[in-house]
Coordinates of all heavy atoms in Angstrom, one line a residue:
E491 N 1.1 -33.5 44.1 CA 2.6 -33.4 43.9 C 3.2 -32.1 44.4 O 4.3 -31.8 44.2 CB 3.0 -33.5 42.4 CG 2.1 -32.7 41.4 CD 2.2 -33.2 40.0 OE1 3.2 -33.8 39.6 OE2 1.3 -32.9 39.2
K492 N 2.3 -31.3 45.1 CA 2.8 -30.1 45.8 C 2.5 -30.1 47.3 O 1.4 -30.5 47.7 CB 2.1 -28.8 45.2 CG 2.3 -28.6 43.7 CD 3.7 -28.1 43.4 CE 3.8 -26.6 43.8 NZ 5.2 -26.1 43.4
P493 N 3.4 -29.7 48.1 CA 3.1 -29.6 49.6 C 1.9 -28.8 49.9 O 1.2 -29.2 50.9 CB 4.4 -29.0 50.2 CG 5.4 -29.2 49.1 CD 4.7 -29.2 47.8
E494 N 1.6 -27.8 49.2 CA 0.4 -27.0 49.5 C -0.9 -27.8 49.4 O -1.8 -27.5 50.1 CB 0.3 -25.8 48.5 CG 1.4 -24.8 48.5 CD 2.4 -25.0 47.4 OE1 2.9 -26.2 47.3 OE2 2.7 -24.1 46.6
A495 N -0.9 -28.8 48.5 CA -2.1 -29.6 48.4 C -2.5 -30.4 49.6 O -3.6 -30.6 49.9 CB -2.0 -30.5 47.2
L496 N -1.4 -30.7 50.4 CA -1.7 -31.5 51.6 C -2.4 -30.7 52.7 O -3.0 -31.3 53.6 CB -0.3 -32.1 52.1 CG 0.4 -33.0 51.2 CD1 1.8 -33.3 51.8 CD2 -0.4 -34.2 50.8
K497 N -2.3 -29.4 52.6 CA -2.9 -28.5 53.6 C -4.5 -28.6 53.6 O -5.1 -28.3 54.5 CB -2.4 -27.1 53.5 CG -0.9 -27.0 53.8 CD -0.4 -25.5 53.5 CE 1.1 -25.4 53.7 NZ 1.6 -24.1 53.4
E498 N -5.0 -28.8 52.4 CA -6.5 -28.9 52.3 C -6.8 -30.2 51.4 O -7.7 -30.1 50.6 CB -7.1 -27.6 51.7 CG -6.5 -27.1 50.4 CD -7.3 -25.8 49.9 OE1 -8.4 -26.0 49.4 OE2 -6.8 -24.7 50.2
I499 N -6.2 -31.2 51.8 CA -6.3 -32.5 51.0 C -7.7 -33.0 51.1 O -8.2 -33.6 50.1 CB -5.3 -33.5 51.4 CG1 -5.3 -34.7 50.5 CG2 -5.5 -34.0 52.9 CD1 -4.9 -34.4 49.1
D500 N -8.4 -32.9 52.2 CA -9.7 -33.5 52.3 C -10.7 -32.8 51.4 O -11.5 -33.4 50.8 CB -10.2 -33.4 53.8 CG -9.5 -34.3 54.7 OD1 -9.1 -35.4 54.3 OD2 -9.2 -33.8 55.9
M501 N -10.6 -31.5 51.3 CA -11.4 -30.7 50.4 C -11.1 -31.0 48.9 O -12.0 -31.1 48.1 CB -11.3 -29.2 50.6 CG -12.3 -28.4 49.8 SD -14.0 -28.7 50.2 CE -14.1 -28.0 51.9
I502 N -9.8 -31.2 48.6 CA -9.4 -31.5 47.3 C -10.0 -32.9 46.8 O -10.5 -33.0 45.7 CB -7.9 -31.6 47.1 CG1 -7.3 -30.1 47.2 CG2 -7.4 -32.2 45.8 CD1 -5.8 -30.0 47.3
I503 N -9.9 -33.9 47.7 CA -10.5 -35.2 47.4 C -12.0 -35.1 47.2 O -12.5 -35.7 46.3 CB -10.1 -36.2 48.6 CG1 -8.6 -36.4 48.6 CG2 -10.9 -37.5 48.4 CD1 -8.2 -37.3 49.8
Q504 N -12.6 -34.3 48.1 CA -14.1 -34.1 48.0 C -14.5 -33.5 46.7 O -15.5 -34.0 46.0 CB -14.6 -33.2 49.1 CG -16.1 -33.0 49.1 CD -16.5 -32.1 50.3 OE1 -15.9 -32.1 51.3 NE2 -17.5 -31.3 50.0
Q505 N -13.7 -32.5 46.2 CA -14.1 -31.9 44.9 C -13.7 -32.7 43.7 O -14.3 -32.5 42.6 CB -13.4 -30.5 44.8 CG -14.0 -29.5 45.8 CD -15.4 -29.1 45.6 OE1 -15.9 -29.2 44.4 NE2 -16.1 -28.8 46.6
S506 N -12.7 -33.6 43.8 CA -12.2 -34.4 42.7 C -13.1 -35.6 42.5 O -13.8 -36.0 43.4 CB -10.8 -34.8 42.9 OG -10.0 -33.7 43.2
D507 N -12.9 -36.3 41.4 CA -13.5 -37.6 41.1 C -12.5 -38.7 41.5 O -12.8 -39.9 41.5 CB -13.9 -37.7 39.7 CG -15.0 -36.7 39.3 OD1 -16.1 -36.7 39.9 OD2 -14.7 -35.8 38.5
G508 N -11.3 -38.3 41.8 CA -10.2 -39.3 42.2 C -8.9 -38.5 42.3 O -8.8 -37.3 42.0
I509 N -7.9 -39.2 42.9 CA -6.6 -38.5 43.1 C -5.5 -39.4 42.6 O -5.6 -40.6 42.5 CB -6.3 -38.0 44.5 CG1 -6.1 -39.3 45.4 CG2 -7.4 -37.2 45.1 CD1 -5.4 -38.9 46.7
M510 N -4.3 -38.8 42.3 CA -3.1 -39.5 42.0 C -2.0 -39.1 42.9 O -1.8 -37.9 43.1 CB -2.7 -39.2 40.5 CG -1.4 -40.0 40.1 SD -0.8 -39.3 38.5 CE -2.1 -39.8 37.4
V511 N -1.4 -40.1 43.6 CA -0.3 -39.8 44.4 C 0.9 -39.8 43.5 O 1.5 -40.8 43.1 CB -0.1 -40.9 45.5 CG1 1.0 -40.6 46.5 CG2 -1.4 -41.2 46.2
A512 N 1.3 -38.6 43.0 CA 2.3 -38.4 42.0 C 3.7 -38.3 42.7 O 4.2 -37.2 43.0 CB 2.1 -37.2 41.2
R513 N 4.3 -39.4 43.0 CA 5.4 -39.5 43.9 C 6.7 -38.8 43.4 O 7.6 -38.5 44.1 CB 5.7 -40.9 44.3 CG 4.5 -41.6 44.9 CD 4.8 -43.0 45.3 NE 5.3 -43.9 44.2 CZ 5.6 -45.1 44.4 NH1 5.5 -45.7 45.5 NH2 6.1 -45.8 43.3
G514 N 6.8 -38.6 42.0 CA 7.9 -38.0 41.4 C 8.2 -36.6 41.9 O 9.1 -36.3 42.6
D515 N 7.3 -35.7 41.5 CA 7.4 -34.3 41.9 C 7.2 -34.1 43.4 O 7.8 -33.3 44.0 CB 6.5 -33.4 41.1 CG 7.0 -33.1 39.7 OD1 8.0 -32.2 39.7 OD2 6.6 -33.6 38.7
L516 N 6.3 -34.9 44.0 CA 6.0 -34.8 45.4 C 7.3 -35.1 46.2 O 7.6 -34.5 47.2 CB 4.9 -35.8 45.8 CG 4.4 -35.7 47.3 CD1 3.8 -34.3 47.6 CD2 3.4 -36.8 47.6
G517 N 8.1 -36.1 45.7 CA 9.3 -36.5 46.4 C 10.4 -35.5 46.2 O 11.4 -35.6 47.0
V518 N 10.3 -34.6 45.3 CA 11.3 -33.6 45.1 C 10.9 -32.3 45.8 O 11.7 -31.6 46.4 CB 11.4 -33.3 43.5 CG1 12.3 -32.1 43.3 CG2 11.9 -34.5 42.8
E519 N 9.6 -32.0 45.8 CA 9.1 -30.8 46.5 C 9.1 -30.9 48.0 O 9.1 -29.9 48.7 CB 7.6 -30.6 46.0 CG 7.5 -30.2 44.6 CD 7.6 -28.7 44.3 OE1 7.5 -27.9 45.3 OE2 7.7 -28.3 43.2
M520 N 9.2 -32.1 48.5 CA 9.2 -32.2 50.0 C 10.2 -33.4 50.4 O 10.6 -34.1 49.5 CB 7.8 -32.5 50.6 CG 7.1 -33.7 50.1 SD 5.4 -33.8 50.6 CE 5.6 -33.4 52.4
P521 N 10.5 -33.5 51.6 CA 11.5 -34.5 52.0 C 11.1 -35.9 51.6 O 9.9 -36.3 51.8 CB 11.6 -34.4 53.5 CG 11.2 -33.0 53.8 CD 10.2 -32.6 52.8
F522 N 12.0 -36.7 50.9 CA 11.6 -38.0 50.4 C 11.2 -39.0 51.4 O 10.4 -39.9 51.2 CB 12.8 -38.5 49.5 CG 14.0 -38.7 50.3 CD1 14.2 -39.9 51.1 CD2 15.1 -37.8 50.3 CE1 15.4 -40.1 51.8 CE2 16.2 -38.0 51.0 CZ 16.4 -39.1 51.8
D523 N 11.7 -38.8 52.7 CA 11.4 -39.7 53.7 C 10.0 -39.6 54.2 O 9.5 -40.5 54.9 CB 12.4 -39.5 54.9 CG 12.4 -38.1 55.4 OD1 12.8 -37.2 54.6 OD2 12.0 -37.8 56.6
E524 N 9.3 -38.5 53.9 CA 7.9 -38.4 54.3 C 6.9 -39.0 53.3 O 5.8 -39.2 53.6 CB 7.6 -36.9 54.4 CG 8.4 -36.2 55.5 CD 8.1 -34.7 55.7 OE1 7.0 -34.3 55.2 OE2 8.9 -34.0 56.3

């Protein structure tokens, strides 16, 4: 839900057991059209 997370998303997915696309805060923190 933070733009910073997208910069190292592959490593975040690797370290996690799963991810959530949290569109609420993500759509506020960055342009909704993206």
Side-chain angles (χ1 to χ4, degrees):
E491 48 197 336
K492 299 286 288 182
E494 297 100 303
L496 300 176
K497 295 175 183 177
E498 51 178 281
I499 188 62
D500 292 322
M501 186 63 71
I502 288 173
I503 295 172
Q504 182 181 326
Q505 291 297 332
S506 306
D507 298 297
I509 70 164
M510 182 190 295
V511 187
R513 304 182 303 180
D515 278 287
L516 186 62
V518 175
E519 292 272 348
M520 61 189 310
F522 61 84
D523 53 297
E524 297 179 17

